[in-house]
Amino acid sequence: MALDHPATTPAQKPVAVPANPRFSSGPCAKPPVFSLDKLSDAALGRSHRAAVGKAKLKAAIEETRAILGVPAEYRIGIVPASDTGAVEMAMWSLLGARPCTMIAWESFGAGWVTDAVKQLKLDATVMTAEYGRIVDLATVDFDTDVVFTWNGTTSGVRVPNGDAIPADRAGLTICDATSAAFAQDLPWDKLDVTTFSWQKVMGGEAAHGMLILSPRAVERLESYTPAWPMPKIFRLTKGGKLIEGIFVGETINTPSMLAVEDYLVALDWGKSIGGLPALMARADANAQAIFEFCDARDWIANLAEDPATRSNTSVCLKFTDPRIADGAGFAKAVAKRLEAEGVALDIGAYRDAPAGLRIWCGATVETADIEAMLPWLDWAFHTEIAAQADAA
Ligand SMILES: Cc1ncc(COP(=O)(O)O)c(C=O)c1O
C-alpha cells in the first residue's frame, strides 16, 4: 500500500555524546571554565557595605559596562529579584507619566502587558503577535513609553535591530533584554531602560537583576512621581533625586556575595575570550548549527517565521511531520528520550509556548556540544515516530 508520507526507520543510536548536555534556557550552562573552586575569592561572611564587598559589586557594574559597551553616561545598577525585579522596578517607577504602548510576542512580554494593564491599570495601547512572529516596530508610536522584550525567550523570536526606534523619540523605551544581553547587539542610543539577569547568556546565578538607565530615564525618575505607592525594593529616588549609590554598587538590600563572585568569574571568562564580539559569535555559531540541521530536514522547523528574527540564544523548534498526531505529546516524548540518554537536558518548549523544543545557544554553550547533540535529535525523532506507528 502506498503511504502518503514515506516511512522512516529508526536512525541508529549515535555514539558521541555532548560533553555538557545542559541546554536549559535559564538557569543556563555555566561558562566552560567554571568550577566551584573559582568562587573561593568570594567575600563570604563579609558585609556588602564593607570595602571588599562594595568593590566587588562595583567591579560587576564596571565589567558589565566594559563588555557590553554601555555608554559612560548610562547608569548600571544591581537590583533585587533577577530580571523580573529589574523590569517591574522600571515599570512601576517610570510608567504613567505619558501614554504607553505594551508590546508582546511571547509569554514574558505578555506578563509585562498584564502588569501594566491589570496591576498599574494603565490605559495602554497593547500590540501583540502570535508565537513565531513579531510586532513590526515601525508601526509603534515611540512618542509613547514603549515596553518590549528584545529576545522572546519562549518563542525564539528577536528584534533584528533598533533601526525602527527613532533617535528623537519623546517616550522612553523599556526593554527586557534578558536573553539578548551578551549575545546580541543592543543599540544603547535606542534603549532608555535595559534589563537582564546574570543567569542567562553569561551562565551566572539568578537572584539579581541588572538595570541600565539612559540619561532620559534618569530625567524621568527625577521629574515624575507615580501615583501609586512604591515598595522599598523598587525605590530608585529619594527626595526627587536619583539614589546614585545604587549605581556604584550600594544595593538596595543585601545581595548574595557568592552570586556576585560567580558573575565576576563569568565576566572574566567573557573578557578573556574576546568580549562581546566573541560572545556573540559563539551564540551565532551554536544557533547556525541548529538552523542548518533544520534546513536539511523536512520534519522540523524554526518557530520564528522570518529568518531575520530568529534568536541566536533561545532557539525554538517545532515538529512539522504530518504523521505526528499529538504535537505536545510527541515533543515531550522526544525531549524525554534525549534527557534519559543524558544528551540534552531541559529542552522542552516553555509551558505556555507551542509544542516543540527550545535549545539554548547562548555563549556558554559549546558548538561542539550542539553538534554532538543534533544526531541524537535525529535518532529520538525517528525512534518516536516508529513508537507512534507501533502503538497505532
Ligand atoms: C524574556 C524574559 N523576561 C523575564 C524573564 C524572567 O527572568 P528571571 O526569572 O531572571 O526574573 C525571563 C526568564 O526566562 C525571560 O526569558
Side-chain angles (χ1 to χ4, degrees):
M1 191 182 83
L3 294 171
D4 288 337
H5 196 280
T8 44
T9 47
Q12 234 185 344
K13 224 182 206 190
V15 178
V17 297
N20 185 355
R22 292 175 176 82
F23 302 111
S24 147
S25 292
C28 300
K30 305 300 281 177
V33 296
F34 178 82
S35 66
L36 280 172
D37 58 300
K38 290 243 161 57
L39 306 183
S40 59
D41 194 37
L44 301 183
R46 293 298 313 274
S47 168
H48 59 297
R49 312 234 181 254
V52 60
K54 245 160 91 172
K56 285 186 182 285
L57 288 155
K58 191 155 185 275
I61 290 173
E62 289 317 319
E63 289 301 318
T64 298
R65 185 188 301 284
I67 294 182
L68 291 181
V70 177
E73 65 276 20
Y74 280 45
R75 309 307 204 280
I76 305 178
I78 298 170
V79 301
S82 207
D83 180 65
T84 308
V87 176
E88 301 274 21
M89 187 172 202
M91 286 180 38
W92 257 251
S93 299
L94 295 163
L95 294 182
R98 55 189 308 122
C100 89
T101 304
M102 300 295 304
I103 311 180
W105 50 83
E106 50 80 64
S107 170
F108 284 101
W112 311 140
V113 174
T114 302
D115 281 1
V117 174
K118 297 229 167 96
Q119 299 295 324
L120 291 175
K121 303 197 189 313
L122 294 172
D123 184 17
T125 301
V126 176
M127 302 173 79
T128 59
E130 289 305 309
Y131 279 87
R133 300 194 176 161
I134 195 168
V135 170
D136 180 2
L137 291 189
T139 64
V140 173
D141 178 3
F142 284 97
D143 287 339
T144 66
D145 292 333
V146 179
V147 180
F148 68 107
T149 302
W150 194 274
N151 184 87
T153 321
T154 64
S155 69
V157 172
R158 59 171 287 191
V159 177
N161 57 59
D163 293 356
I165 305 173
D168 62 348
R169 64 197 174 276
L172 297 178
T173 47
I174 299 176
C175 176
D176 173 358
T178 198
S179 52
F182 296 104
Q184 299 169 13
D185 215 1
L186 295 171
W188 299 110
D189 58 329
K190 304 295 180 74
L191 303 176
D192 295 302
V193 178
T194 309
T195 68
F196 65 89
S197 156
W198 298 344
Q199 51 121 341
K200 289 278 193 272
V201 177
M202 297 307 288
E205 294 301 297
H208 304 299
M210 297 302 270
L211 179 71
I212 304 182
L213 303 176
S214 76
R216 292 180 62 242
V218 173
E219 195 181 289
R220 169 75 64 81
L221 284 170
E222 295 191 327
S223 61
Y224 163 68
T225 306
W228 42 80
M230 198 69 71
K232 177 177 172 178
I233 57 162
F234 283 2
R235 251 176 265 154
L236 292 166
T237 59
K238 189 171 179 196
K241 296 300 285 178
L242 188 75
I243 304 172
E244 293 283 1
I246 295 173
F247 303 94
V248 291
E250 293 162 20
T251 50
I252 298 171
N253 64 340
T254 315
S256 156
M257 296 313 295
L258 194 59
V260 171
E261 192 69 19
D262 179 76
Y263 183 50
L264 287 172
V265 167
L267 290 170
D268 199 44
W269 166 74
K271 198 161 69 173
S272 76
I273 63 165
L276 188 58
L279 292 164
M280 292 197 298
R282 285 174 65 91
D284 284 346
N286 290 339
Q288 188 58 33
I290 299 181
F291 299 164
E292 285 168 15
F293 176 88
C294 294
D295 286 348
R297 284 155 186 79
D298 62 359
W299 49 263
I300 193 160
N302 203 298
L303 189 58
E305 290 178 9
D306 176 358
T309 68
R310 282 178 189 165
S311 173
N312 65 348
T313 56
S314 56
V315 175
C316 293
L317 305 175
K318 60 184 176 188
F319 292 103
T320 55
D321 192 298
R323 290 169 296 178
I324 298 170
D326 165 14
F330 186 87
K332 274 199 185 119
V334 168
K336 199 170 153 198
R337 282 185 192 277
L338 294 170
E339 183 140 354
E341 296 290 339
V343 293
L345 307 177
D346 309 320
I347 64 161
Y350 190 71
R351 56 179 186 257
D352 300 337
L357 303 177
R358 179 175 58 163
I359 302 166
W360 183 254
C361 286
T364 55
V365 172
E366 301 278 19
T367 307
D369 288 338
I370 295 275
E371 284 168 346
M373 179 271 293
L374 288 171
W376 286 91
L377 177 50
D378 246 338
W379 165 81
F381 167 79
H382 289 296
T383 306
E384 197 51 40
I385 285 283
Q388 183 183 287
D390 285 350

